[in-house]
Amino acid sequence: MAALTEIEKWLAETVPGAIERYDVPGVAWAVLAGGEVVDGAAGVLSRSTVVEATADSVFQIGSITKLWTATLVMQLVDEGKVDLDVPIRTYLPEFRIADEDAAARITTRQLLSHTAGFEGDIFTDTGRGDDCVEKYLRELHGVTQLFPPGEQFSYNNAGYCVLGRLVEVLRNSPYDVCLRDHLITPLGLTHTAPGPYEAILFRAAVGHIETEPGAGYQPAPVWALVRSNAPAGSSLAMRPRDLLTFAQLHLNDGKAADGTQVLAPGTAGRMHDRQVDLPDLGLMGTSWGLGFERFETPDGLVIGHDGGTIGQSAFLRIVPGTGVAVALLTNGGDAVSLYRDVVGHVLEQLGHVRLPALPEPPAAPERVDAGRYVGTYEADVMEMTVSQDEDGRIWLVQKPKGVFAELGEQAERKELVPYGENSLIPVEADRGMHLPHVFLGDDGHGHALYLHVGRAVRRAGA
């Protein structure tokens, strides 16, 4: 395929300079078009060891793992073992959160589409044993319900750990074994590692983090997040080519390369269909399916997912109906700008789809009364305080908590300016992006109830 050959050449010539420009230590990529795959890599897997990245190097895919967990769940739906619209307690009677009424009503569909409504960033370490996900469910008993189940979207890592436990119970096997038996093996994957003990058999990327702005990206102190969060994306690693083999499953109506029907006909399409719309959040999609992030552009639909672990960022984009998909895996630096340059070019050339422009602050922002927004919003891993000074300037102070504080992340202070209705945006970009901060709901006193940044972070005390 001539166009794919041109893309292969363009990537080899362009990416090395781009990673230097964006301070990305290492990157690997793969592109699928016309049933053929090209791949490559540049940079190093660790700035400590200076081992070169190759196309067969494994990087953590982070939350792209959620697509794998969702696929495992939908296999159970295909087999008649799960009904998406009955309470999850039908299958997991031990599931409990602080709100008993919500716990009794939350469904598998709501967990898959991030509309279950409870606090989602819970990274409790429950050990490295095969019972870690089972133990994790007990850690959710005191978790707060943010809004009624099904009311809105709020990205929920914990919900995918619950789904992982659902798979374990109905398959009577640990999550990693379910991955191996029901996806990795049927798809014929050779460079996919559910955890560090398998990843060490390959060239494995190490994440790089910047402990404070301008300090430069250095190898992270640990390789992966806790194993209890494996179904949400804490440890699954692979080479880009293997990730695109998974993408082909979803492009080919659930069929593996050898003809094996891994998902029933029609199931993949149902996973891609819209379930819930999102606020305008920039890099995140416009809506969500059953696991899949959806980007509805003027040129057509793109689906996929992003992933972020400790210093590693991953991007998967699929253009339904075209046979085009691209995977980009990185281990630090300004990964978003690299994604925009690389994935944006590939999608435009092969899929004839342009990525929407990222949000930017207005050149001459107006002054507004931020009284509705001012206050503190608190989640398990962060606290965000919005204030307005005497000159009318709006400020956000974000303090890390929990696992993020333990990793050495520092508090940040940034100026926000108005951006659309009920939305503020940072003046300065963070790793190539200005993330809109959307204020939703009402606390009963004329103040926003939630600060939405992908997660609906609830006003403290409300």
Side-chain angles (χ1 to χ4, degrees):
M1 186 176 182
L4 187 58
T5 301
E6 287 298 314
I7 286 291
E8 182 177 27
K9 180 182 177 184
W10 180 86
L11 288 165
E13 293 175 347
T14 304
V15 174
I19 66 171
E20 184 175 348
R21 184 164 64 252
Y22 297 127
D23 198 18
V24 174
V27 61
W29 63 83
V31 178
L32 167 70
E36 298 180 17
V37 174
V38 297
D39 56 13
V44 297
L45 299 177
S46 168
R47 284 179 170 168
S48 290
T49 64
V50 201
V51 173
E52 291 185 0
T54 68
D56 285 341
S57 299
V58 299
F59 290 69
Q60 290 179 28
I61 65 167
S63 285
I64 299 175
T65 303
K66 291 180 175 70
L67 300 183
W68 298 63
T69 300
T71 301
L72 291 172
V73 170
M74 295 305 291
Q75 288 174 330
L76 293 167
V77 173
D78 288 344
E79 295 168 22
K81 295 177 180 176
V82 169
D83 183 328
L84 291 178
D85 297 310
V86 304
I88 190 71
R89 276 189 175 173
T90 306
Y91 316 104
L92 294 178
E94 69 271 28
F95 171 66
R96 285 174 51 200
I97 51 177
D99 187 325
E100 171 60 23
D101 176 66
R105 292 192 290 123
I106 289 169
T107 66
T108 302
R109 185 184 300 276
Q110 290 166 347
L111 291 168
L112 286 167
S113 59
H114 299 280
T115 59
F118 56 89
E119 169 68 48
D121 286 328
I122 312 297
F123 300 109
T124 308
D125 188 352
T126 58
R128 299 180 182 180
D130 286 345
D131 61 352
C132 63
V133 181
E134 179 183 2
K135 288 180 176 178
Y136 178 87
L137 256 65
R138 301 172 202 160
E139 301 295 327
L140 300 181
H141 292 179
V143 167
T144 303
Q145 187 72 17
L146 302 173
F147 52 82
E151 180 179 270
Q152 61 174 304
F153 173 91
S154 182
Y155 193 81
N156 193 323
N157 285 295
Y160 267 77
C161 297
V162 176
L163 291 170
R165 181 58 185 157
L166 170 68
V167 173
E168 289 187 336
V169 168
L170 296 185
R171 293 295 187 200
N172 195 30
S173 293
Y175 177 79
D176 290 356
V177 174
C178 295
L179 266 181
R180 179 75 59 190
D181 291 349
H182 296 277
L183 287 176
I184 296 172
T185 299
L187 291 174
L189 306 182
T190 60
H191 290 67
T192 296
Y197 298 111
E198 298 89 349
I200 202 169
L201 299 174
F202 307 102
R203 284 179 177 242
V206 172
H208 293 70
I209 61 174
E210 195 173 41
T211 54
E212 56 185 68
Y217 288 87
Q218 300 300 324
V222 293
W223 187 74
L225 289 163
V226 294
R227 191 183 177 200
S228 63
N229 271 242
S234 66
S235 56
L236 183 59
M238 64 191 65
R239 63 177 179 174
R241 181 179 286 266
D242 279 21
L243 182 52
L244 287 195
T245 300
F246 172 82
Q248 282 179 291
L249 169 73
H250 280 273
L251 281 167
N252 297 336
D253 195 21
K255 195 175 292 186
D258 66 358
T260 302
Q261 202 73 49
V262 178
L263 285 170
T267 296
R270 290 197 298 277
M271 293 178 68
H272 309 162
D273 288 343
R274 181 193 293 111
Q275 297 289 318
V276 59
D277 291 327
L278 272 63
D280 181 7
L281 295 166
L283 184 64
M284 294 186 80
T286 52
S287 59
W288 222 272
L290 297 175
F292 275 87
E293 203 170 353
R294 293 167 43 90
F295 305 83
E296 291 149 298
T297 80
D299 301 318
L301 176 67
V302 178
I303 61 173
H305 213 289
D306 296 340
T309 59
I310 301 172
Q312 300 198 48
S313 297
F315 306 88
L316 173 66
R317 295 292 181 268
I318 303 168
V319 186
T322 67
V324 171
V326 55
L328 183 76
L329 310 182
T330 71
N331 64 347
D334 183 358
V336 170
S337 293
L338 182 67
Y339 152 78
R340 297 285 303 179
D341 286 0
V342 174
V343 176
H345 179 81
V346 172
L347 290 182
E348 187 168 354
Q349 295 300 309
L350 297 180
H352 309 295
V353 175
R354 287 182 295 254
L355 292 177
L358 288 178
E360 292 187 359
E366 59 179 314
R367 287 279 193 262
V368 298
D369 178 1
R372 168 170 156 75
Y373 312 137
V374 166
T376 297
Y377 304 80
E378 195 165 9
D380 198 67
V381 295
M382 61 183 164
E383 176 186 282
M384 297 188 288
T385 300
V386 179
S387 63
Q388 188 167 31
D389 64 23
E390 293 181 356
D391 295 328
R393 298 171 76 182
I394 305 168
W395 300 93
L396 171 73
V397 175
Q398 182 168 316
K399 297 179 181 178
K401 295 168 54 181
V403 66
F404 294 148
E406 293 168 10
L407 286 170
E409 290 196 13
Q410 303 297 309
E412 295 181 2
R413 183 174 186 259
K414 60 185 76 173
E415 184 177 3
L416 306 178
V417 294
Y419 177 78
E421 187 176 2
N422 292 317
S423 184
L424 303 174
I425 192 168
V427 173
E428 300 293 332
D430 179 15
R431 284 163 289 189
M433 182 178 172
H434 302 266
L435 175 68
H437 291 53
V438 184
F439 295 82
L440 302 174
D442 193 292
D443 70 346
H445 303 284
H447 306 118
L449 184 57
Y450 307 103
L451 198 177
H452 208 303
V453 286
R455 290 96 167 126
V457 185
R458 193 178 178 95
R459 180 179 289 272

